[in-house]
Amino acid sequence: MALLNRMDWYDLARTTNWTPSYVTEDELFPPKHSGEFGLPLSAWEKYDEPYKQTYPEYVKVQRDKDAGAYSVKAALERSRIFENADPGWKSVMKAHYGAIARGEYAAASAEARMMRFSKAPGMRNMATLGCMDEIRHGQLQLYFPHEHVSKDRQMDWAFKAYDTNEWAMIAARHFFDDIMVRDAISISIMLTFSFETGFTNMQFLGLAADAAEAGDHTFANLISSIQTDESRHAQIGGPALKVLIENGHKAEAQKRVDIAVWRAWKLFSVLTGPIMDYYTPLEHRQQSFKEFMEEWIVAQFERALTDMGLDLPWYWDIFLNDLSQTHHGMHLGSYFWRPTLWWNPAAGVTPDERAWLEEKYPGWNDTWGQCWDVFIDNVVDGNMAMTYPETLPYVCNMCQLPILGTPGKGWNVKDYPLEYNGRLYHFGSEVDRWVFQQDPERYAGHLSIVDRFLAGMIQPMDLGGALKYMDLAPGEIGDDAHNYAWAEVYRALRATKKVS
């Protein structure tokens, strides 16, 4: 008997809604978990997923992907790529694994909430596959770095990071909890549409390209294997947005998109921005972080939102301006506080690298470059104590990252305060404060790393106490990726000037 074409039966097979007879619809799909939009099952049955895949098809494709990823890893195990890789590239891997691996497992729970509580049959089907995707991604990104733990203790942070109070992980958890621990429809909009379609998908594309260019084909193959999953289940939120807009809930849909896009941007400014513009060896850089964002994020979101019938986020001009600034400050700050990282940041400021930065970001030398000039002088003079901070930066109560501004003539660091229930909150931008105001009870109880320090929760109240609180042990504490070898060119230039 000939098999029917999948499209002849798929829609019928996945239409699994029914009229409950012994419970109410709200008992079957509690609004708190399903989404308090007041739409009946009939409205959600119009949800039309772009990726239509059956379980047998899914299993076959995933088996082939796993076979490819693990076979490449096995074939290259004797290549000593990790031992021979540029230290900056090693830091790329460490930062990625620590920030992402366990987050993938957390995303499986978010997919499971859509799988159980969404009223849209198509979403439940896609989320079932998406849940298995995220489990696979977590397993891959814990297994691959594990072989390097015996060579480098920082690689253990792939598993360890999410269980610590390291400042970057506080920021990551705050963001991921916000977009993953919500009702099913909000998760579909904030996690899959806003974050995965716009940011995660592109993060993996960029990393795969940089890994291949750097000769790390194991990592490139791993990331590509994951990205092809992301491109599928990242499409869950789009059809949900269409249903909401068609039923008069555009404002609520728009608000969720605006919150998630901004929050994702702030996290990527400290993770992906420095990786692309400073850590990746100069000869392997395909494009600047700003160019990458403009090509893959800005253009895509403008098109996707317009096609969906939504508006650009109200802060779009602020976001576009920040593409040239924010990640430079995040890099300078994280490098300055490098002992509080689980990876070794690459300075990325040799004369050739600075020329590249000036080309990509005109005015860099007169702003961020001025700060690095002081830093370079202290390294060359052997004043290493001056290359570490004596105080803590003030941290935004929304993104949990330092409040910063561009140095130079236009220097204008600004706090955006807000008093709520007798407590004064501080935000790094008008947008961060706006996000808080949309649901203050959701965010009000959280303490930033600086709030905890001032509350006496970190003892002793010094760097040693902070490292202990962050669970950073000897051998894991961050330092310059290249052991300051990059400063030798400046030492030689100074000697040449003295001779002349």
Side-chain angles (χ1 to χ4, degrees), residues 174-182 259 263 442-443:
H174 194 276
F175 166 67
F176 286 126
D177 284 351
D178 194 12
I179 65 171
M180 292 183 186
V181 187
R182 290 179 180 258
I259 291 172
R263 299 219 57 196
R442 183 177 182 84
Y443 308 110

Side-chain angles (χ1 to χ4, degrees), residues 63-132:
R63 180 189 181 282
D64 291 343
K65 288 181 185 177
D66 272 356
Y70 286 106
S71 63
V72 169
K73 180 180 183 298
L76 296 176
E77 278 181 347
R78 299 181 184 276
S79 68
R80 298 181 63 81
I81 179 63
F82 184 80
E83 290 81 358
N84 298 328
D86 182 272
W89 180 252
K90 292 181 186 179
S91 293
V92 170
M93 289 191 288
K94 294 172 187 176
H96 171 85
Y97 282 131
I100 300 298
R102 293 274 297 278
E104 301 271 23
Y105 267 128
S109 295
E111 296 277 351
R113 181 165 292 202
M114 292 186 285
M115 179 173 65
R116 164 59 184 88
F117 293 110
S118 174
K119 293 182 179 181
M123 183 186 292
R124 294 200 296 269
N125 186 53
M126 288 189 73
T128 300
L129 306 183
C131 183
M132 291 188 288

Side-chain angles (χ1 to χ4, degrees), residues 40-236:
L41 287 171
S42 57
W44 288 109
E45 286 172 352
K46 295 180 180 179
Y47 177 101
D48 185 24
E49 66 274 29
Y51 276 80
K52 293 177 169 60
Q53 189 171 42
T54 66
Y55 183 70
E57 291 171 334
Y58 174 83
V59 172
K60 181 183 183 303
V61 171
Q62 299 306 93
R63 180 189 181 282
D64 291 343
K65 288 181 185 177
D66 272 356
Y70 286 106
S71 63
V72 169
K73 180 180 183 298
L76 296 176
E77 278 181 347
R78 299 181 184 276
S79 68
R80 298 181 63 81
I81 179 63
F82 184 80
E83 290 81 358
N84 298 328
D86 182 272
W89 180 252
K90 292 181 186 179
S91 293
V92 170
M93 289 191 288
K94 294 172 187 176
H96 171 85
Y97 282 131
I100 300 298
R102 293 274 297 278
E104 301 271 23
Y105 267 128
S109 295
E111 296 277 351
R113 181 165 292 202
M114 292 186 285
M115 179 173 65
R116 164 59 184 88
F117 293 110
S118 174
K119 293 182 179 181
M123 183 186 292
R124 294 200 296 269
N125 186 53
M126 288 189 73
T128 300
L129 306 183
C131 183
M132 291 188 288
D133 284 342
E134 301 292 15
I135 293 172
R136 171 179 177 264
H137 300 169
Q139 291 173 338
L140 281 167
Q141 291 173 96
L142 290 177
Y143 179 74
F144 274 59
H146 182 71
E147 68 170 303
H148 301 308
V149 172
S150 61
K151 309 166 192 172
D152 191 328
R153 285 189 58 178
Q154 290 179 330
M155 295 300 292
D156 190 37
W157 276 69
F159 182 84
K160 176 180 176 179
Y162 274 80
D163 293 326
T164 73
N165 283 316
E166 194 273 342
W167 64 270
M169 291 318 305
I170 291 176
R173 285 199 304 267
H174 194 276
F175 166 67
F176 286 126
D177 284 351
D178 194 12
I179 65 171
M180 292 183 186
V181 187
R182 290 179 180 258
D183 63 84
I185 304 306
S186 294
I187 291 172
S188 75
I189 296 170
M190 302 178 80
L191 173 62
T192 72
F193 178 79
S194 302
F195 179 58
E196 292 187 321
T197 302
F199 287 88
T200 307
N201 209 8
M202 299 303 105
Q203 156 85 353
F204 283 91
L205 279 173
L207 273 182
D210 286 344
E213 184 69 22
D216 190 349
H217 298 290
T218 299
F219 192 68
N221 193 266
L222 163 69
I223 295 301
S224 296
S225 175
I226 293 172
Q227 186 274 327
T228 51
D229 289 349
E230 300 283 1
S231 65
R232 172 174 37 75
H233 71 239
Q235 305 301 315
I236 294 174

